[in-house]
Amino acid sequence: MAGNEINIPPEPDELEVSVFGPGYGESIVLHLCDDNWVIVDSCINPKVNEPAPLFYLNQLNIDLEQCVKQVIATHWHDDHIRGLGKIVKACPNAKFICSGALRNKYFTQLTIIYKDRTLLGSSGIDEFSEVFLALQERAEEWKNPTLAVADRILWKSSDSKSSIYALSPSDAAIIASEIEFEQFIPSAKQPKKRLLPANLNHTAVVLLAMVQDFSILLGSDLQEVGNPVMGWSVIVDSQLRPQEKASFFKIPHHGSENAHHGRVWEEMLMHQPIAALTPFENGGTCLPTKKDIERICLHTNIAYSTAPVGIKHKVKRDRTVEKTILETARNIRKINVSLGQVRLRMKIGQSPKVDIFGDALSLQDTILS
Amino acid sequence: MKTQTAIIIGEEQKMSFGETPNFIRRPESKIQESQVLSYITSNLPEDSLETIARRLREETIPLNGKGTSPRFAISPSYFPVDRFVSLQKWEGVVMKVENGYFIARLHDLTSKGNEEEAEFSCEEISEDESELIVQGAIFYWNIGYHDSHTGQRTRASMIRFRRLPAWRQKEIDDSALEADKLMKSIGWK
């Protein structure tokens, strides 16, 4: 097995799952053996200001044009999408896949309305307009995005040993999202402002990646709302999804209680799976909470976070500025301090090995810190 | 005597330091001098003159519920008397508004790349801008020194909300047509 150095690529028969998170943002890179790479979502590596998956794959000397087979956007929220336009450009032969809910005239219209980046930062919608632009510039056969919907196979290796399934969004979630996107379209005379995503996490794409008998469940941000035709309930009850239990779980929605479904742990995961999450700090919300961490640790003791949670980092500034900041604002803190990576590698038939890089740490240690 | 140029839509005026531009004096304009200065100070530090010129063409401002007026600006050297020396600037987006305070995401304009989150009391915002504190609103936060014409220097923190223009029906209709073309071009229609 390759060593635990960050820039040594996996061997051809070695699978990899890498979860990246800088404190605000999430991205996952999969190696499903034989140079089949998949990028799921994107976040920015704050040290180099580049999309984290691209920077990582370049460090490994992976041929992006030939080896990246799919780029998947699980949903359009800012914390999962920053830098995705650059990735789609850099991987011109990768199939672009997005939630079936996004093939929607109102969503497409929103990408036109909010494509102007005169305001700093990204709202997610403007990043998606970059993605559409990159797709339009592609060769004809790579322009058309594939839609991820529940119980659909998205990719299979030529020897059929590896595959990826979409487990969501459900039909009901797609229908509901159309109304929600329409509500985002501004009316005439309404003042312009930044579009901030609401909690539309029921259309996020949950993925099940399988390499022979090892399965990986990537929960995206899908929430559980207690509705039998949406969220995790419909996935757990589906008879059409592959029934394999996963050994690796990317915990949904930053470990939040509203994405927890007990039957997922019981029916879709192996006993004591390896789990990873990315924290989320935005708009005063800080996830996971201490209670979330305690709940997750009851289900597995092999859980990791890509970054510490709730630590107040500060930007060092001139004393006069510092003094004035304290007089004006409360609770100012820096976001996206540094990137953490949780990486699982495993040769088929052998035991998995987990390495953590950057700010990543065991979830238990997150409570202690 | 040194003169400055006031730029108004379709009108220019040469004037001396300290002189009030004609368009402010005009009773029908209903614009206060403080509004002129606030527009300048809230935009000039971040925006190029080209950006301002573009806004002059595109934007209007409400006049206390009595219609709208084109925006205007005065060349920066018009106000050499009082000066603001900026030490730190941010662009902010309001993420959440709750009981007398708001939480904002801040993009550092002085040391680019830093992203911060801060909580502000709504009392920090002037009364005439308090209606602008809504989710998604954009503002600028400027910390620095205010040098007065009498030579006094005071430390200052200034939060100014950006008054973005309203959506026009044509923009919305055009976006629907463009979205239709986009969907066709990527095989979604």
Side-chain angles (χ1 to χ4, degrees), chain A residues 24 82 98 102-105 108-109 111-115 118-121 132 135-136 143-145 147 185-194 196 281-285 315 317-318 320-321 323-325 327-336, chain B residues 54 87-88 90-91 93-96 100-101 103 105-109 114-121 124 134-138 141 143 145 155-157 159 162 164-169 171-172 175-176 178-179 181-183 185-189:
Chain A
Y24 177 77
R82 285 184 180 188
C98 64
L102 303 188
R103 189 200 161 277
N104 172 300
K105 65 179 177 183
T108 318
Q109 190 179 352
T111 69
I112 305 286
I113 290 174
Y114 290 101
K115 71 181 169 189
T118 51
L119 308 174
L120 286 179
F132 284 149
L135 289 174
Q136 285 174 298
K143 278 185 178 178
N144 188 0
L147 300 174
I185 304 287
S187 319
K189 295 181 183 171
Q190 198 179 321
K192 287 180 180 175
K193 58 178 190 171
R194 179 87 56 91
L196 297 175
E281 293 185 46
N282 196 26
T285 303
V315 181
R317 293 193 170 97
D318 174 90
T320 311
V321 174
K323 199 174 166 188
T324 319
I325 287 173
E327 287 167 3
T328 313
R330 297 184 278 184
N331 301 326
I332 186 163
R333 65 177 172 199
K334 189 178 177 184
I335 294 168
N336 285 5
Chain B
R54 181 177 58 77
L87 298 173
Q88 173 66 47
W90 293 267
E91 184 198 55
V93 185
V94 176
M95 306 298 291
K96 195 195 263 182
Y101 72 93
I103 294 172
R105 178 60 68 104
L106 303 171
H107 302 275
D108 193 330
L109 299 175
N114 283 331
E115 229 179 330
E116 289 157 283
E117 191 168 283
E119 195 178 309
F120 299 89
S121 164
E124 292 291 334
V134 292
Q135 200 188 41
I138 312 290
W141 183 18
I143 286 178
Y145 289 114
R155 206 155 36 86
S157 165
I159 297 175
R162 189 164 161 184
L164 288 166
W167 288 105
R168 288 177 288 128
Q169 190 58 50
E171 284 179 287
I172 297 163
S175 68
E178 211 180 317
K181 278 186 204 160
L182 171 58
M183 288 184 86
S185 73
I186 57 168
W188 273 4
K189 231 175 174 185

